[in-house]
Amino acid sequence: IRTNVDYHTSLGVLGSVLVYLSATTLLPLATAVYYGEDVLPFVVTGVVMLGLGYALTRLEPEPDLGHREGFLLVGLTWLVVPLVGTLPYLVAGQGTVAHPVNALFESMSGFTTTGSTVLADISFETHSRSVLLWRQLTQWLGGMGILVLMVAILPELSVGGAQVISEESPGLSIEKLTPRIEDTARALWSIYVAFTLLAIGVYYALQLVGLADNMTVYNAVAHGLTTLPTGGFSPEGRSVEAFSAAVQWAVILFMVVAGTNFALFWYALEGQPRHLVENVEFRSYLLAMGAVGALLAAMLYTGVGLAAVPTNVPGLTGDLEHSIRQAVFQTVAIVTTTGYASMDFNTWDESTQVVLLFAMFIGGSAGSAAGSVKVIRWYLVRKTISRELFTTVHPEAVRPIEHGGNVADDDTIRSIFVFVLLFVVLFALSTVLIYVDSFRVAGLELNALEATSAAIATLGNVGPGVGVVGPMNNFEPFSNASKLYMTFLMWIGRLEILSVLVILTPAYWRR
Amino acid sequence: IRTNVDYHTSLGVLGSVLVYLSATTLLPLATAVYYGEDVLPFVVTGVVMLGLGYALTRLEPEPDLGHREGFLLVGLTWLVVPLVGTLPYLVAGQGTVAHPVNALFESMSGFTTTGSTVLADISFETHSRSVLLWRQLTQWLGGMGILVLMVAILPELSVGGAQVISEESPGLSIEKLTPRIEDTARALWSIYVAFTLLAIGVYYALQLVGLADNMTVYNAVAHGLTTLPTGGFSPEGRSVEAFSAAVQWAVILFMVVAGTNFALFWYALEGQPRHLVENVEFRSYLLAMGAVGALLAAMLYTGVGLAAVPTNVPGLTGDLEHSIRQAVFQTVAIVTTTGYASMDFNTWDESTQVVLLFAMFIGGSAGSAAGSVKVIRWYLVRKTISRELFTTVHPEAVRPIEHGGNVADDDTIRSIFVFVLLFVVLFALSTVLIYVDSFRVAGLELNALEATSAAIATLGNVGPGVGVVGPMNNFEPFSNASKLYMTFLMWIGRLEILSVLVILTPAYWRR
Ligand SMILES: [K+]
Ligand SMILES: [K+]
């Protein structure tokens, strides 16, 4: 094939990724051995990854990855890795995920850290502990990839205004974080690994001090692996509802950490913690969660929904700690796009569900593994609208768009608006497609709220929606067409839309 | 009050507008005399307009209207005129519109050419012919105001990318259309009046040649008054369904004219018809209606909805002319934001309704009285996204955004994105507010599709939505709070959002 894109190099780097990934199959393999479960799923996966990866590295890649090759690498990685990642589900053949379409959905949901599931029965009766651990691990591995993607690769490729991450507060430039992508990756991953171990440690410690009876080592590891990547998978059928209030507060804390720009932690470790306090995105992020959380807590505590139809949720209305905890947990889980649930918010009043639905569009911070639109984009959209109003009154005025002492240039602003508009339009079209297709499946027929939530939950990499796709339900009932379409949404949403669209333009491939 | 805004001048010009408007009450007055109906509603309205208008002109306005005074004038005009315009409804005291909130809703819907109605029973039993003619007249007068607003005032004030109208195709600059606003207004109004008379003539001629039994002089005038402003009010309870196929095709033709940039007709009259053929917006506008119309016609004719649930609409499926006519009529009515209906599309399959709902966001052409986002904005959004993808691959490339030989500058592009995003966000929030509030009204409880359509129908100045707010239904059942909110939506949507928001900023009023 004659093209301007050196796809050999992209495939070669993908090969290296697969080779490294093959080693990670050892964790579920060891788990299988420990519990006396079938090791074949992981042996097959490890061998295929190693073999395919090694074959690809033989393509003689160039040592330097160009601009176009970067886009191809990113798109291919989040396509090939989830495809290979279906093998444990397919070989194990347990439950609904034994079906190829379901396996692909679940694998894509894992590596994109979305957390939407097609597992109809999440229990150790149906699924082995080792396969469920692989499911958790896909999110942790996906999170590693996304961090590098967000902090080092996309800003370099100037996608969707991703460059603002590197402009955020003076001197906080990613190119200057470390001079090379490899070093940046290593720095981010150190923080990521450290927080993961800390989360596992804290979760397990709560059991040791008697505050979480059922937080076994397995559960601590499983949830530690899906908190930091804002993943949201849980081997418990009722998600974090299965655990005590103490565990739920701990999970809230680590979700907040997971949705924060990791570069800020890096600077804090480098002795510049002021970046964290002064960062406008971090402040807006906390403010957004505080506002949504307070609104929901008030609605749950008083039992007064926006619709003025009193819907007393059993055990919440009138119980202050419980109302606050449930409101804050769900708010943080949604805004950080983690997607855990500490109770079935399908039992809540519809108006509170609408609040959650809007919160799904916020997204966590840039420079984290969180998905959706992200706080810094909304912040700059708001600033741009304010400036537009100002310059409409004062046409002669020149007012730069500032954020934390830095100035966002016109190209960045335009990129951000393009991204947000594409995101909204893709969401709206997807809502309709999902809605309409649901009528092909007897007994599924979604209502508009459910279709809306299914679209944003997958495109925004949030995980659960409301109603049929609520936190204690799953996406298995959808048609194969819808499931493949939502798999596509998770993929394109995760790669910030534009980096996928770029590959689809003729200008990209032209010599 | 000490402020930087010379509000005396704005109020003075508003006074002149009211004085001129007082003369228009003579038409319904004469109608009342002819049919032997009560003349008091129009005497009162005329006197109040004249008195209030004269009082305001005494405020000694400056001869020149400044930038800020222009915004104030625009906002005030579409607030005060609709308020005074409630008088005929209130004095006549007929039917649901005798209630002050309903009267304001109906009057705002008229002067903004929205066409949403709160008349529960549109018939000559409940309402006099003269009051129903006043209702039609408000749209025609509103249309005159909007044409000047769109073509002469907003581009001058650089609101929401409105300046592209004046940039459209080389030499087609509005400032050059004629050197003074007064002359531009006169030029536009000549075309507007001519097309209105033509429409009335054609509608009535169809009766003369035996193709439209019930197209009386009254009906011809009434519908002529609401076609060109893309208004959509009808004194017939079943809108244009009441008339023959020939009338429906004629209405389609005049709706297409009404949604076209009037400046193009001006140039055609000046001997430059090539502007019409070469205009990118006009071509996109026809293309959009063609595509949506063809899709709907296919769905209606085959009876196959997007949901693959065959819903044979009686009298449509299998009847080619009828399917095409109904599809094209509804498409043109929605895309031009006229909002007439030639049948109750509530009887259609839900998937066709979803198509209509999306079509409500298109909007007609800039430089017409059509509402919603408008074709030129979508055209430039699409071009900008294409360029964004191109420059992502070729970061060094500089590619201007062209439209019909002209170049849209960065400020215009940003204004357009700001407008579209504000429009979408305001729409989404309004959907929720309308949805939630509907549960306060026993028996109203909207579904999400109905709430969505109510929001876009009012914000986009379309008129009817689907379901409860379908074309043969009305907005009367809503709570007063919702009706006032939708009155606000019609107002802010009509003034292109930004010109209202500008007035609300402190920077606008500061000395
Ligand atoms: K997630
Ligand atoms: K209308």
Side-chain angles (χ1 to χ4, degrees):
Chain A
I1 311 166
R2 290 173 63 85
T3 161
N4 209 7
V5 183
D6 177 15
Y7 58 92
H8 280 246
T9 296
S10 305
L11 289 172
V13 178
L14 171 59
S16 309
V17 171
L18 285 172
V19 169
Y20 285 116
L21 277 180
S22 70
T24 66
T25 55
L26 292 175
L27 180 67
L29 191 113
T31 309
V33 170
Y34 179 80
Y35 287 107
E37 296 170 346
D38 189 4
V39 297
L40 192 65
F42 313 108
V43 172
V44 169
T45 308
V47 168
V48 169
M49 279 180 173
L50 198 61
L52 180 62
Y54 181 71
L56 289 174
T57 53
R58 297 290 302 259
L59 284 172
E60 295 174 9
E62 298 283 322
D64 278 329
L65 199 69
H67 206 70
R68 302 187 190 202
E69 290 70 31
F71 283 107
L72 190 61
L73 171 64
V74 166
L76 273 180
T77 302
W78 264 273
L79 212 53
V80 174
V81 171
L83 270 169
V84 179
T86 60
L87 286 174
Y89 303 130
L90 296 176
V91 175
Q94 301 157 348
T96 46
V97 84
H99 187 286
V101 171
N102 287 346
L104 183 59
F105 183 100
E106 197 77 9
S107 185
M108 185 63 87
S109 180
F111 284 106
T112 57
T113 79
T114 304
S116 305
T117 186
V118 285
L119 265 57
D121 174 36
I122 304 178
S123 74
F124 297 140
E125 281 75 54
T126 304
H127 299 277
S128 63
R129 281 171 169 79
S130 50
V131 167
L132 285 181
L133 191 72
W134 168 253
R135 181 168 167 262
Q136 303 296 107
L137 188 61
T138 58
Q139 295 207 318
W140 194 77
L141 296 169
M144 290 187 93
I146 291 152
L147 278 178
V148 174
L149 182 70
M150 296 297 168
V151 177
I153 301 178
L154 291 186
E156 196 76 23
L157 301 177
S158 300
V159 167
Q163 53 271 39
V164 288
I165 311 164
S166 53
E167 291 167 359
E168 187 56 42
S169 72
L172 205 159
S173 163
I174 290 310
E175 294 94 83
K176 291 177 205 145
L177 188 67
T178 70
R180 301 190 314 142
I181 285 188
E182 286 87 341
D183 295 334
T184 302
R186 205 164 291 128
L188 290 169
W189 290 346
S190 312
I191 300 167
Y192 185 69
V193 169
F195 272 121
T196 302
L197 293 176
L198 188 62
I200 294 173
V202 169
Y203 296 164
Y204 188 63
L206 288 171
Q207 194 251 23
L208 293 181
V209 299
L211 284 171
D213 289 345
N214 55 346
M215 187 53 89
T216 58
V217 171
Y218 180 88
N219 264 337
V221 171
H223 290 88
L225 286 176
T226 57
T227 309
L228 270 300
T230 70
F233 273 160
S234 170
E236 290 286 344
R238 310 271 315 164
S239 192
V240 183
E241 191 187 61
F243 302 104
S244 63
V247 170
Q248 292 174 1
W249 282 115
V251 172
I252 289 172
L253 181 74
F254 283 106
M255 287 194 292
V256 172
V257 167
T260 303
N261 189 340
F262 273 51
L264 297 176
F265 297 130
W266 170 258
Y267 282 100
L269 288 171
E270 293 274 290
Q272 301 175 50
R274 65 175 178 83
H275 280 308
L276 194 62
V277 195
E278 291 171 2
N279 186 270
V280 289
E281 185 180 29
F282 186 62
R283 291 158 77 154
S284 307
Y285 163 67
L286 294 183
L287 193 70
M289 291 192 294
V292 175
L295 174 63
L296 283 179
M299 289 167 86
L300 293 175
Y301 178 66
T302 60
V304 179
L306 288 177
V309 181
T311 50
N312 294 358
V313 181
L316 281 180
T317 309
D319 182 335
L320 194 61
E321 189 274 341
H322 201 197
S323 290
I324 292 177
R325 174 158 46 87
Q326 295 301 350
V328 171
F329 191 101
Q330 263 59 240
T331 299
V332 171
I334 293 291
V335 172
T336 62
T337 72
T338 305
Y340 284 140
S342 62
M343 78 174 286
D344 188 356
F345 48 76
N346 269 352
T347 61
W348 294 7
D349 162 28
E350 218 178 35
S351 61
T352 50
Q353 293 178 10
V354 168
V355 173
L356 286 177
L357 212 60
F358 267 80
M360 288 187 189
F361 286 87
I362 300 175
S365 309
S368 75
S372 202
V373 176
K374 296 193 189 75
V375 175
I376 187 70
R377 289 206 182 91
W378 288 122
Y379 178 86
L380 290 173
V381 162
R382 192 183 64 69
K383 279 229 147 182
T384 306
I385 291 173
S386 295
R387 186 185 63 171
E388 188 75 20
L389 293 174
F390 186 83
T391 54
T392 305
V393 181
H394 301 281
E396 73 294 346
V398 175
R399 252 203 351 193
I401 307 274
E402 283 184 275
H403 55 106
N406 263 55
V407 172
D409 64 23
D410 282 351
D411 287 350
T412 304
I413 295 295
R414 203 192 40 249
S415 292
I416 287 172
F417 272 83
V418 164
F419 172 84
V420 175
L421 208 55
L422 274 176
F423 190 92
V424 169
V425 169
L426 189 55
F427 153 75
L429 288 174
S430 302
T431 297
V432 170
L433 291 178
I434 293 167
Y435 176 75
V436 162
D437 188 64
S438 76
F439 285 82
R440 289 172 186 269
V441 181
L444 181 60
E445 293 94 356
L446 301 187
N447 64 39
L449 210 61
E450 292 170 321
T452 305
S453 76
I456 181 63
T458 48
L459 178 65
N461 303 116
V462 179
V466 301
V468 171
V469 293
M472 309 307 177
N473 300 326
N474 64 79
F475 288 72
E476 202 277 324
F478 283 92
S479 73
N480 285 334
S482 272
K483 279 187 269 196
L484 288 174
Y485 182 70
M486 288 190 271
T487 303
F488 164 77
L489 284 184
M490 294 189 251
W491 178 64
I492 197 170
R494 185 72 275 180
L495 303 182
E496 310 260 289
I497 303 174
L498 283 153
S499 48
V500 170
L501 292 185
V502 160
I503 306 180
L504 303 177
T505 58
Y508 171 81
W509 293 98
R510 210 171 290 140
R511 286 186 66 86
Chain B
I1 313 165
R2 292 173 63 87
T3 160
N4 209 8
V5 183
D6 177 16
Y7 58 91
H8 280 246
T9 297
S10 305
L11 288 172
V13 178
L14 172 60
S16 309
V17 171
L18 286 171
V19 169
Y20 285 116
L21 277 180
S22 69
T24 65
T25 55
L26 292 175
L27 181 67
L29 191 111
T31 310
V33 171
Y34 179 81
Y35 288 107
E37 296 170 347
D38 190 4
V39 297
L40 193 65
F42 312 107
V43 172
V44 169
T45 308
V47 168
V48 170
M49 280 181 172
L50 198 60
L52 181 62
Y54 180 71
L56 289 174
T57 54
R58 297 289 302 259
L59 284 172
E60 296 174 7
E62 297 283 322
D64 279 329
L65 199 70
H67 206 71
R68 302 186 190 203
E69 290 70 30
F71 283 109
L72 190 61
L73 171 63
V74 166
L76 272 180
T77 301
W78 264 274
L79 212 54
V80 174
V81 170
L83 270 169
V84 179
T86 59
L87 285 174
Y89 303 130
L90 296 176
V91 175
Q94 301 156 348
T96 46
V97 83
H99 187 286
V101 171
N102 287 346
L104 182 61
F105 183 101
E106 198 76 9
S107 185
M108 184 63 88
S109 179
F111 284 105
T112 56
T113 80
T114 303
S116 305
T117 186
V118 285
L119 265 58
D121 173 37
I122 305 177
S123 74
F124 298 139
E125 282 75 54
T126 305
H127 300 276
S128 63
R129 281 172 169 78
S130 50
V131 167
L132 285 182
L133 191 71
W134 168 253
R135 180 168 168 262
Q136 303 296 106
L137 189 60
T138 57
Q139 295 206 318
W140 194 75
L141 296 170
M144 287 186 95
I146 290 152
L147 278 179
V148 174
L149 181 71
M150 294 300 167
V151 177
I153 302 177
L154 290 187
E156 197 76 23
L157 300 178
S158 301
V159 167
Q163 54 269 39
V164 288
I165 312 164
S166 53
E167 290 167 358
E168 188 56 43
S169 71
L172 207 160
S173 162
I174 290 311
E175 291 95 84
K176 290 175 207 149
L177 187 67
T178 71
R180 299 190 317 145
I181 285 188
E182 287 88 340
D183 295 335
T184 303
R186 206 164 291 129
L188 291 170
W189 290 346
S190 313
I191 300 168
Y192 186 69
V193 170
F195 272 123
T196 301
L197 293 175
L198 188 62
I200 294 171
V202 169
Y203 296 164
Y204 189 62
L206 289 172
Q207 194 250 23
L208 293 180
V209 298
L211 284 170
D213 289 345
N214 55 345
M215 187 52 89
T216 59
V217 172
Y218 181 88
N219 264 336
V221 171
H223 289 89
L225 287 177
T226 56
T227 308
L228 270 301
T230 70
F233 273 160
S234 170
E236 291 286 344
R238 309 269 317 162
S239 190
V240 183
E241 190 187 61
F243 303 104
S244 64
V247 170
Q248 291 174 2
W249 281 115
V251 172
I252 288 172
L253 181 72
F254 283 106
M255 287 194 292
V256 172
V257 168
T260 303
N261 188 341
F262 273 51
L264 297 176
F265 297 131
W266 170 259
Y267 281 101
L269 288 172
E270 294 275 288
Q272 300 175 50
R274 66 174 177 84
H275 280 308
L276 194 61
V277 194
E278 290 172 3
N279 186 270
V280 288
E281 185 180 30
F282 186 62
R283 291 157 78 154
S284 306
Y285 163 66
L286 294 182
L287 194 70
M289 291 193 294
V292 175
L295 174 64
L296 283 179
M299 289 166 85
L300 293 174
Y301 178 66
T302 60
V304 179
L306 288 177
V309 181
T311 49
N312 293 357
V313 181
L316 281 180
T317 308
D319 183 336
L320 194 60
E321 189 275 338
H322 201 199
S323 290
I324 291 177
R325 174 159 45 87
Q326 296 301 350
V328 171
F329 191 100
Q330 263 58 240
T331 299
V332 171
I334 292 292
V335 172
T336 63
T337 72
T338 306
Y340 284 141
S342 62
M343 78 175 287
D344 188 356
F345 47 77
N346 268 352
T347 62
W348 295 7
D349 161 29
E350 217 176 37
S351 61
T352 51
Q353 294 178 9
V354 169
V355 174
L356 287 177
L357 212 60
F358 267 80
M360 289 187 187
F361 286 86
I362 299 174
S365 309
S368 75
S372 201
V373 175
K374 296 193 187 75
V375 175
I376 188 70
R377 288 206 182 91
W378 287 122
Y379 178 85
L380 290 174
V381 162
R382 191 184 63 70
K383 279 230 148 182
T384 306
I385 291 173
S386 294
R387 187 185 61 173
E388 187 76 19
L389 293 174
F390 186 83
T391 53
T392 304
V393 179
H394 301 281
E396 72 295 346
V398 175
R399 247 189 17 179
I401 307 273
E402 284 184 275
H403 54 109
N406 263 56
V407 172
D409 64 23
D410 282 351
D411 286 351
T412 304
I413 295 294
R414 201 191 43 248
S415 292
I416 287 173
F417 272 83
V418 164
F419 172 84
V420 175
L421 208 55
L422 273 175
F423 190 92
V424 169
V425 169
L426 188 56
F427 153 74
L429 288 174
S430 301
T431 297
V432 170
L433 291 178
I434 293 168
Y435 177 74
V436 162
D437 187 65
S438 76
F439 286 82
R440 289 172 184 270
V441 182
L444 181 61
E445 294 94 357
L446 302 186
N447 64 40
L449 211 61
E450 293 171 321
T452 306
S453 76
I456 180 64
T458 49
L459 178 65
N461 304 116
V462 179
V466 301
V468 172
V469 293
M472 309 308 177
N473 300 326
N474 64 78
F475 288 72
E476 201 278 323
F478 284 91
S479 73
N480 285 335
S482 272
K483 279 187 268 195
L484 288 174
Y485 182 71
M486 288 190 272
T487 303
F488 164 78
L489 284 185
M490 294 189 251
W491 178 65
I492 196 170
R494 185 72 275 181
L495 303 182
E496 310 260 290
I497 301 173
L498 283 154
S499 47
V500 169
L501 292 185
V502 160
I503 306 180
L504 304 177
T505 57
Y508 171 80
W509 294 98
R510 209 170 291 139
R511 286 185 65 84

